[in-house]
Amino acid sequence: MNELHVTRARGRPVTPPADRRAALLAAFARESWAPGGPPALTDANADRLRDADAARLTDADADRLAEVAAELHPAFSGDVTALNQALVRHAAVPNLHGDPPALAFHAPGAELADAWAADAATALAMVIGVGQGRRLRSCEAEGCELVFFDVTRNASRRFCGLPCQNRAKASAYRARRRT
C-alpha cells in the first residue's frame, strides 16, 4: 500500500512509481512475501510462487492495485466506509478452493487484482472486526503518510519508523527551546 499510494514519506515528497508492477515485485522480494502462498513457505516454494505471480501480474493489475491502495488507505485512520465499499466491489466472500483447499476471500476465478483487493480488504476488516483496529495506524510525523500495523504490546507506536520518530522529537525539542 505504501509503495503505490503515498505522496509524502518521512518528511519528504515521494512520487508514486511509474512502473507499479516493478514496485510491487520489489516490495514482494523485500518482504519475502509470495502472494497466495501458504503461511510457512520454504525458500524454494516462495521463489516458485513469487515467479508464478510475477508472470500473472500485469501492468493493468498493478494500476488497479494502486487504486485499491488509495481506496483502503482511510481504513488505517478508522474510516471504514471505503473499506465496506471495497469488500462489496471486489466480491469478498470466504471460500475454500485449490488443492489442497486454501481459505480465500475471493471467487476462484477472480481476476488477480480483484482477488488481491478482496483478500486485503478482508484482512483489514478482520483486524478491525476483532477489536484491533487501533493497531492500524498512520504515521503521526509531520509530512509522512505511511501506514503500518502496530505490533507493540500496548499499541502505542506513533511513527512508521525511527527517522520519523527522531524528526518529531527534534522538532518538539526545538519548539520547547524557543518558548
Side-chain angles (χ1 to χ4, degrees), residues 17-21 24 58-68:
D19 187 350
R20 292 176 173 149
R21 181 179 181 276
L24 282 170
T58 65
D59 290 337
D61 289 331
D63 290 342
R64 287 189 60 211
L65 289 170
E67 293 168 10
V68 171

Side-chain angles (χ1 to χ4, degrees), residues 12 21 28 31 75 96 100 116 120 147:
R12 297 193 168 123
R21 181 179 181 276
F28 297 161
E31 300 298 329
L96 294 167
W116 288 2
V147 295

Side-chain angles (χ1 to χ4, degrees), residues 18-127:
D19 187 350
R20 292 176 173 149
R21 181 179 181 276
L24 282 170
L25 295 176
F28 297 161
R30 185 175 55 253
E31 300 298 329
S32 298
W33 184 69
L41 291 172
T42 64
D43 288 339
N45 284 343
D47 290 340
R48 181 182 54 77
L49 288 168
R50 196 170 24 254
D51 292 344
D53 281 326
R56 289 179 39 211
L57 181 66
T58 65
D59 290 337
D61 289 331
D63 290 342
R64 287 189 60 211
L65 289 170
E67 293 168 10
V68 171
E71 181 179 26
L72 298 180
H73 197 271
F76 284 84
S77 300
D79 180 4
V80 297
T81 304
L83 180 57
N84 283 329
Q85 292 169 351
L87 289 166
V88 171
R89 184 175 17 270
H90 299 289
V93 58
N95 66 85
L96 294 167
H97 62 267
D99 186 32
L103 177 62
F105 293 91
H106 61 273
E111 293 181 15
L112 186 65
D114 283 327
W116 288 2
D119 290 350
T122 301
L124 289 173
M126 289 173 69
V127 168

Side-chain angles (χ1 to χ4, degrees), residues 142 166-179:
E142 182 70 32
N166 291 341
R167 269 192 5 270
K169 286 184 177 184
S171 178
Y173 176 77
R174 285 191 297 274
R176 278 195 305 270
R177 298 246 341 179
R178 283 188 219 127
T179 57

